[in-house]
Amino acid sequence: MAKEWAKWFYKSRAWKKCRAAYIKKVIGICEHCGNPGYIVDHIEEITPDNINDPEITLNHDNLQYLCLSCHNKKTFKKKEATREGLVFNERGELIKDGY
Ligand SMILES: [Zn+2]
């Protein structure tokens, strides 16, 4: 994540707030494997062109919370992760779909 041009963004109050709210929303769990998460990842990568577009940078729909190992092998997208059958129940707990 050593993008020099993006440093100001990752330090911004807006991102820190967005990130914290997102982690809370997914109760700190990696959305791919269910282990404790480590990093809030942008599904559509931040680029110099979209870094000023909050629809990309601060949109929860464009975020996923991952553990380090899932982040390192990021060969999937959020939609595929939810297709594995992990859903949130009405109490905000991550459960296997159908249980
Ligand atoms: Zn994981």
Side-chain angles (χ1 to χ4, degrees), residues 30 32-35 66-67 69-70:
C30 171
H32 188 60
C33 72
N35 285 325
L66 299 175
C67 68
S69 78
C70 286

